Amino acid sequence: MHLARRALIVVLAAASLGGLADRSVAATGAYQVTLTQTAGTLKPGAVETVTAMVRVAGGAAADGTLVGFTTTGDVAVPDVVGMAPHGADGYWLVDSAGHVFPYGSASFEGDLSHTDLTGLVVGIAATASGNGYWVATDDGQVYPFGDAGSTVVDTGIGAADSVVGIAGGAGGVWVTTVGGSVWALGTPTFAPFGGGFSVAGIVATPSGQGYWLFSSGGAISAFGDAVFKGDMHATQLGKPVTGMIPYGSGYLLVGSGGGIFNFSDRPFMGSLGANPPARPVVGIIPTPDSSGYWMFTDNGMIFSFGDAHNAGSRWSVPTHHGSASFAFTSLVAGQTTVTASAAVDASAVIGQTWTASDPAPSTPPPGSPAPSRDPAPEHPTVNRSGYWALAADGRVYNFGGAAQLGSAAAGAVDLEPTPTGDGYWILNKNGTVQTLGNAITLGNVDMDKLAPDEEPASLSATPTGRGYWIFTNRGRALALGDAPVLGDMSQAKLNGPVLGSVATPSGNGYYMVASDGGIFAFGDARFAGSMGGKKLNAPVQSLVPDSDGAGYWLVASDGGIFAFDAPFRGSMGATKLNKPVVGMVRYGDGYLMVGADGGIFNFSTAPFAGSLGDKPPAAPVVAVAALP
C-alpha cells in the first residue's frame, strides 16, 4: 500500500519577510513556530511531512544546523532498529522498514524504502572504509550499499530461526539468529554457539577477528579474539539488555532504561540510568577509539557521551541547504500540533492553510540578545498505545508504541507482554518459552508429561511478571513462578480444544476458552455465560474480559462477537474476510481482532496503529497482544 504524503512547510528566518505578508500569517518571535493540523486534513495512516526552512541574514543556515521537532496528538514515527558509526562525528540510523538516515559525516548510499521486503530490517553495519554499509532483515537477507558490494545475499538462516543482529568484521560481516547460528560473509568462522540462552545481538571486537553474542538477560558468549570478562545472567535485571560495545579491555552492556554495566578496566563515560528516556534504549555504538559512545532509542532519539558528537536524530534534524524535514504517521483523525525549533535568531511565517496555536511573542528591541533554546527536544510526545502480531514462524510485527524486542523460532503459538510492556514471552508448540525484553525465564513445558495429542496452546502472565501459566489444548494449566495452582480441565472430556486463556487482574484466577465456545473459569474469574452446546457458524478463537472485569467477549474465526455482560462494540460477522480471525485482545474501551493474514480490526476508541492486511506475512499470524 502506498500511503498518501502531504507536506507542511515551516519557515524560520532572520531576514525581513514583509514580501510574504499577502500570502501568509506572520508571527514574529524567536526560535519557534507552532503549527496545528485540523481534523479535515489529518488522516489515519497518512505519512505527514513537516519541513522547516531556516534562514539567516546571509541566506540559508549552515548545513548541520539542528532543528528540533516536538508533537502532540496520536502520531508515530518509524521504529529505529539499528545504528552504525562513521567516525566520531557521523552515523547512520535504520528503521524496520529499511529507511536509512545519515547524519554528520555519514553519506547516504541507498536504502530499502522502495524495496518489496519479505522481512523486517533488524540492523545495519558499516564497511571498514566508511563508504558503505550492509542492512540485514530478520528473514536472513543482507543488502549491500556503497562499497559493501552490489549483490543481495540470502544467508539461508532466517527461515526457521529469525535473524536478530549484524556486525562488521575483518573483510565483511557476521549475521546471527535468535538460536545463535552465525553466518559469515568474508569474515572468520568459529565453533558453533553452544546454546544456553536466546541471542539478542552480536558485537564485533575492535580487530574484527572475533565477536560476542549477548542475550536480553545479560548473558555473554565470546568467539575468536573476543574475551569473556563477565556478564549479568545471574542478576535479576529491572530492564532488558539491548546493546553491547567493546570498551577498554572488555565491554559495556546497556539496558533499555539507559543503564550501563561495565566489564572493563576503564570508567564509563555516563549513562541514562538515573534519568531514563521516555522510550526504550535499543542499542549503543562506540566512536572509533572507544573514547565515547552513542545510545539510541526505538523512536530515534540520540544520546552522546565522551567524544561522540550529536549530529542529529529523528527528532533533531540537521539542515541541508537550509531545510530540515520531519516525517510522522497519523494514527487517528483529529488534530496534531507540530513544533519546530532552531537555535538561530528567527521569525516564523505560517502558511495561510495553517494556524498558529500559541500567541505570537512580542518583538524584542533591536539588538536584544536572543533567548537560549535547546533545538533537540529531550522527551518528544509519542503515543504509547500499540500492539504486536505474532506469526507461526516466530516473527513479531510491532505497531504503534509497541517496541520491536525480537522474534523467536518457528512453531510459535502465543505472545504475552510483561506488565510494563517492555518485554514479552513467546510460547512455542514444542513447549519452550522464549523471553525477550524484560521478560524473565521461568521454565518450559516437560513435553514427556503430556498426552500424545496434547500440546501447548497459550500463556498468561501474573500481574507481577514473575509467574505465568501455560495452557494446553487439553485444558491443562501448568503454573510457573509465582502463578498459583487453581485447577484445570485436563481430566475432563472436552467438546473442543482449548485455544486461549486470560488471567484476571488480581492474578488469582484465569479463564480458558475452547473452540466450541465453552468457558472454564477458575479462581476469582467470574463466569458470565458461554456458547458451549450451541450451534456456531465458526469456532470460537479467543476470550477478552471487558474493562470492569464483570463480563467478556468471545470472537469466532468468522469475526462474529458474543458479548456476556459486556457492551457490544461491533463485529466482522457479516463481512467476508480474506482469512479467518485467529485472535482478539482488549484494546482501549473495546477489542481488537487479528486475521491470519495480519489484518487488524479495531472496535474501540484507541488509535488504529497499522496492520499487515495489505502485505500478508510469509507465515500465518497466530496471535495478537496489546500494550498493557
Side-chain angles (χ1 to χ4, degrees), residues 354-384:
W354 309 97
T355 58
S357 61
D358 294 336
S362 59
T363 304
S368 298
S372 175
R373 181 179 296 274
D374 181 359
E378 183 178 0
H379 297 302
T381 301
V382 180
N383 189 271
R384 177 64 174 162

Side-chain angles (χ1 to χ4, degrees), residues 575-626:
T575 303
K576 181 175 174 55
L577 302 176
N578 293 328
K579 292 290 182 179
V581 169
V582 294
M584 187 169 79
V585 68
R586 192 168 76 202
Y587 193 57
D589 60 354
Y591 39 84
L592 180 146
M593 307 174 197
V594 66
D597 61 351
I600 295 290
F601 310 104
N602 183 11
F603 294 92
S604 77
T605 57
F608 170 76
S611 80
L612 301 171
D614 63 329
K615 188 180 179 181
V621 169
V622 294
V624 64

Side-chain angles (χ1 to χ4, degrees), residues 122-123 136 162-167 174-177 200-202:
V122 296
S162 295
V163 168
V164 292
I166 182 172
W174 293 288
V175 172
T176 189
T177 67
I202 183 171

